[in-house]
Amino acid sequence: MRFHVVRDPQTRPTTYRKLTRAAVRDRSVTFGFLAVAACGLGITACASQAAPGATSSSSATSPANNTTSPSSASAADTGACVTSQLKISLTNTGALAGQAGGYLKFTNKSGTPCRMTGWPAVIGLTASGQATHLRHLQLSMFGAWHYSAPPPVVALQPGDSAYAIVAADDKPAGNSNRCPTPYARLRVSPPGDSGNVTISAWLPGAGSYLPSCSSANGSPTAGTSTITTLSSLPH
């Protein structure tokens, strides 16, 4: 007699079927893990390829800023202003905090740029012709100015102006009851130039000529600031 073996899964024992399903699940988990690992390696590789670009971008730097301001360049490339190039006048006059004065205005009337720096040379002249060299101020209540080294260099294009304070105490000092005769005129030279222009010392804003009052030790109080710009002064 012959026996025919039937391989029907449904006829297999229950325990066998459970073992088979467990093996299938284990293979699925293993394949899933390998797939994730492969994907992770792919991402790492992509990141490694992208890194050089990112590094290049972050390490790129902009060129150093060597720009020089137009004013500085002009001041360095031009000569000093001389009297013949300038129109000199007295503006912004008035009296404030025990001083009277105004702003000497130097306007470039030529067609050539020039520069100014330092103290102008100013001589006060009374009506009788008595001359006094005005001192170099270190500070002035009029114009709220104080000296700061080095003095600025002001470049003047044609038509531009530079300024300097001229001021003096307007009250007598010590036991004096009145100040000496005021200055009727000012003889003005730009810094470093021997030429000069004589202008009126009348101060419309103060209703008087520039005072010639002396300090308690007898020295004249009238003086000038260094050349500066109008933007640095009250106006």
Side-chain angles (χ1 to χ4, degrees):
M1 178 182 294
R2 292 181 180 179
F3 294 92
H4 179 67
V5 178
V6 179
R7 301 183 181 276
D8 183 3
Q10 299 296 327
T11 64
R12 294 171 181 172
T14 302
T15 301
Y16 176 82
R17 288 199 300 270
K18 287 182 179 180
L19 291 173
T20 302
R21 283 196 295 268
V24 172
R25 283 198 301 270
D26 290 343
R27 285 198 298 271
S28 299
V29 171
T30 301
F31 290 147
F33 175 80
L34 292 175
V36 171
C39 183
L41 290 173
I43 292 172
T44 303
C46 293
S48 299
Q49 291 174 0
T55 302
S56 175
S57 174
S58 63
S59 63
T61 56
S62 59
N65 185 359
N66 294 321
T67 304
T68 304
S69 69
S71 297
S72 298
S74 298
D77 298 340
T78 57
C81 298
V82 297
T83 304
S84 60
Q85 289 180 279
L86 302 169
K87 176 184 177 182
I88 303 174
S89 57
L90 187 58
T91 67
N92 297 78
T93 60
L96 177 69
Q99 289 187 321
Y103 300 163
L104 291 170
K105 182 179 180 180
F106 300 84
T107 302
N108 184 358
K109 65 180 182 179
S110 73
T112 306
C114 62
R115 59 181 171 79
M116 301 185 73
T117 185
W119 280 272
V122 181
I123 296 175
L125 302 169
T126 64
S128 64
Q130 182 178 355
T132 303
H133 288 269
L134 272 59
R135 64 193 181 95
H136 293 172
L137 295 174
Q138 299 299 309
L139 59 88
S140 173
M141 295 299 293
F142 187 90
W145 175 88
H146 71 277
Y147 175 66
S148 179
V153 178
V154 181
L156 298 182
Q157 297 296 324
D160 288 350
S161 299
Y163 296 80
I165 295 170
V166 57
D169 292 353
D170 60 1
K171 300 291 189 294
N175 297 324
S176 301
N177 295 323
R178 58 191 298 272
C179 292
T181 303
Y183 304 116
R185 291 165 292 155
L186 298 174
R187 186 180 297 156
V188 183
S189 299
D193 186 45
S194 59
N196 62 78
V197 172
T198 301
I199 61 175
S200 173
W202 177 253
L203 309 175
S208 68
Y209 286 99
L210 182 68
S212 62
C213 301
S214 299
S215 64
N217 63 11
S219 61
T221 61
T224 65
S225 73
T226 60
I227 295 294
T228 188
T229 59
L230 184 61
S231 61
S232 66
L233 300 171
H235 61 281

